[in-house]
Structures are given as C-alpha cells and as structure tokens.
Amino acid sequence: MPITQAILPVAGLGTRFLPWTKSVAKEMLPIGNQPIIAKIVDECMDAGIKDICFVISHGKEMIPTYFYESPELEAELKKRGKTEQLEHLLKYNEADFHVVYQEDQLGDGHAILQAADWINSEHVAVLFGDDIFSGEHSGIAQLMAAHDALTSDDQGAILALEKLEDSQISQKGIVEVGSIHATIERLQSIKSLVEKPNLEDAPSNLGIVGRYIVPRSTIDLLPSVGASHGGEIRLIDALIEQLGSIPIHGLECTGIRLDTGTPEGYARAVQVLTADL
Ligand code: UTP
C-alpha cells in the first residue's frame, strides 16, 4: 500500500535555541520566505502525502495555524490581484492537517505515540523537524520509492541514512548494515542500531537522519519500550526491539541534508538554501 499519512513531531522544547524558543517555535524560523516547517510539509505534499499530523506542545499552535485555510485573507488577496501570494496559501488547502498534543516532552517516540489513534494505514511516514533535504529527490520521496519497490512481505521499516563525520556520531542513531538489496539501489538490511554511541563504540559511520517509514506495529510497541533512557520513549528503541522480527532497512539517501536543530546548523541551512534568492 502507498504511504498516505505522515507524523511530524514538533513538540520539543528547542533548548538549543533558547531564549528564542521561549516565544517562537524553532520550526517557525525562516529560511528565505518560508519557515522550516513549511519545507517539511512541502516535502510530504510533493511526495504525495496529504494527510499530516503535527504533534505539538502548548504554545506551538502557530505551527498548524500557518497551514490552515484563511478564507478572509484569500478573498482579500484575490480582490487585490495578489495571485502569487494567494497560490502559496491555496497549496495547503489540498492537505488535511491534524493536531495532537504532547503534554510532557518525554522523547520523540512518546511524541509519535500521541498520534497513534489518528493512524489508519499499515505504514506511516515520520519526519523530524530538524532535518531538511535539498536535492532532486527529498528524503521521504526516496524512502517511499524504496517502500513501493519492496514486496509487501519485505516492507517493514525503512530509515534514511547518511555517512556522518566523526564529530556527529555521538549525536545520532547509528546503524550496522547487513546485506545489500538485490534490486533496490542503496537499500541495505539493518543488523543493529545504537543511539548516540561514543565514536569508538559506533558500528559504522552511517547515521539515521530524520526520515522514517514505520509499520503500525512499531507505534504499538512504543508504550512498552519506555523509560530506558532518563524516562524518554524513543522511536529507535522500538525499532531495536523489532530487529529480527520485522524487516528493517536503511536507505542511504542522495542529496544534501541540512540539520537546522542547532544555531550553527540553521545558519548553514539559510546560507545554502537562500544562495539563489
Ligand atoms: P530534538 O532532540 O532536537 O529536541 O528533537 P528539541 O527539544 O527539538 O531540541 P533541543 O535538543 O532541546 O535543542 C528532535 C525532534 O523530535 C521532536 C522535536 O520537536 C524535534 O522535531 N520531539 C523531541 C518531540 O516532538 N517531543 C519530544 O519529547 C522530543
């Protein structure tokens, strides 16, 4: 079955951007004339996903509001002949946006869990708010193409991978890969997963970079994997639990991936993505 639903967990505290994030969600920081989150929603919509669930925390309502229909503003823009601006707004009317709250910031898996009742498909896409992709094919588009090319028995989970610098290893989930897929380029089976290892303990330099396709069973497992790391429920722990019981693949993505989760990374993303403006 094609992927039609995406969860966007954006409920984090954004401590690395304090004190800015006391009043503005880091996902609303601008890159050119768009906030970061619009680039991620565009990535979903361009890949054909129109059913999108934001997981937010209180005070981050500005994120879904950005995408809601604004009939009065639309009418006013039409009256003033502001066609280009109107088109930007109308694009998002084609998607269905849903919002759930994460009351306490207990980890990315806990955030995803808040959307469990909304999922009505066998597999769901997950896009984290910090990573954005630039290139011919976005991260989620590449994962979806691999998912579609797999037989239904082999469709399990697919994680976006990238070769990381040594300095990034201890900040990411790192994978140990096994066999290369016979027909799908850059797709490999995952043998093991380690969250944020020390460089010397890392099984490879391939890290997970903010895009996943996971089956319903991974979401269902989240409540039972909780509290292993300082009370946090993490998606990677559910996937570790499922190793050997469902197919878990990693796809080394092409294109440029930009991490907007730190002030330095955000500055680089602005530089790279606005060079042509
Ligand atoms: P981060 O690890 O970057 O956490 O989360 P953060 O809170 O956003 O930022 P820092 O580390 O405090 O600076 C990665 C993604 O997971 C979401 C975040 O919103 C971000 O998109 N997340 C994280 C949640 O939705 N809830 C959580 O409890 C934790």
Side-chain angles (χ1 to χ4, degrees):
M1 290 288 283
I3 306 296
T4 58
Q5 296 192 294
I7 301 172
L8 276 51
V10 287
L13 296 172
T15 54
R16 287 169 288 179
F17 279 91
L18 281 169
W20 177 256
T21 39
K22 276 174 75 186
S23 55
V24 178
K26 67 175 178 180
E27 296 81 2
M28 293 303 290
L29 291 174
I31 296 194
N33 66 349
Q34 276 191 309
I36 292 169
I37 192 67
K39 295 209 170 288
I40 295 172
V41 167
D42 286 356
E43 182 176 337
C44 291
M45 292 183 69
D46 292 346
I49 298 178
K50 305 266 166 72
D51 203 2
I52 295 171
C53 181
F54 294 111
V55 184
I56 66 168
S57 45
H58 293 283
K60 286 186 129 179
E61 290 79 9
M62 68 189 82
I63 294 176
T65 303
Y66 180 93
F67 299 96
Y68 288 158
E69 285 191 46
S70 328
E72 284 174 20
L73 181 58
E74 286 164 20
E76 192 59 33
L77 290 175
K78 208 169 176 181
K79 206 165 81 185
R80 296 182 185 204
K82 304 237 175 211
T83 325
E84 198 187 322
Q85 288 85 346
L86 182 61
E87 274 168 17
H88 279 301
L89 253 61
L90 293 180
K91 171 175 180 172
Y92 297 116
N93 295 357
E94 287 167 27
D96 285 325
F97 294 104
H98 188 80
V99 175
V100 294
Y101 280 89
Q102 184 189 27
E103 298 290 340
D104 298 302
Q105 279 52 67
L106 297 176
D108 57 37
H110 181 259
I112 294 165
L113 191 54
Q114 311 312 305
D117 290 344
W118 165 83
I119 302 167
N120 61 18
S121 44
E122 203 40 52
H123 291 82
V124 64
V126 176
L127 294 89
F128 285 110
D130 285 349
D131 285 312
I132 47 182
F133 283 81
S134 162
E136 199 184 342
H137 302 290
S138 71
I140 208 64
Q142 293 180 57
L143 295 194
M144 286 167 66
H147 175 86
D148 289 346
L150 285 164
T151 58
S152 55
D153 286 351
D154 206 14
Q155 272 177 337
I158 311 183
L159 326 177
L161 302 179
E162 186 184 278
K163 283 199 180 85
L164 301 177
E165 304 287 331
D166 284 358
S167 60
Q168 299 172 304
I169 300 273
S170 62
Q171 298 151 29
K172 293 279 182 192
I174 306 296
V175 303
E176 179 188 0
V177 287
S179 55
I180 298 173
H181 196 274
T183 53
I184 305 172
E185 228 185 320
R186 291 174 282 102
L187 191 76
Q188 286 171 277
S189 65
I190 303 278
K191 278 168 76 177
S192 69
L193 296 151
V194 198
E195 177 72 336
K196 302 181 179 171
N198 295 324
L199 183 57
E200 52 277 18
D201 301 328
S204 75
N205 64 348
L206 281 170
I208 310 171
V209 287
R211 301 289 181 272
Y212 301 72
I213 289 175
V214 294
R216 172 86 225 187
S217 62
T218 306
I219 313 284
D220 292 340
L221 208 59
L222 285 168
S224 62
V225 298
S228 55
H229 305 273
E232 285 207 345
I233 297 180
R234 300 191 311 211
L235 179 59
I236 194 169
D237 292 322
L239 291 166
I240 290 171
E241 191 88 9
Q242 289 189 301
L243 279 166
S245 62
I246 65 160
I248 303 186
H249 311 275
L251 182 76
E252 216 182 311
C253 289
T254 59
I256 300 174
R257 196 253 328 166
L258 297 152
D259 181 355
T260 64
T262 62
E264 304 74 31
Y266 168 65
R268 173 155 186 271
V270 170
Q271 208 176 27
V272 172
L273 298 174
T274 60
D276 297 335
L277 289 183

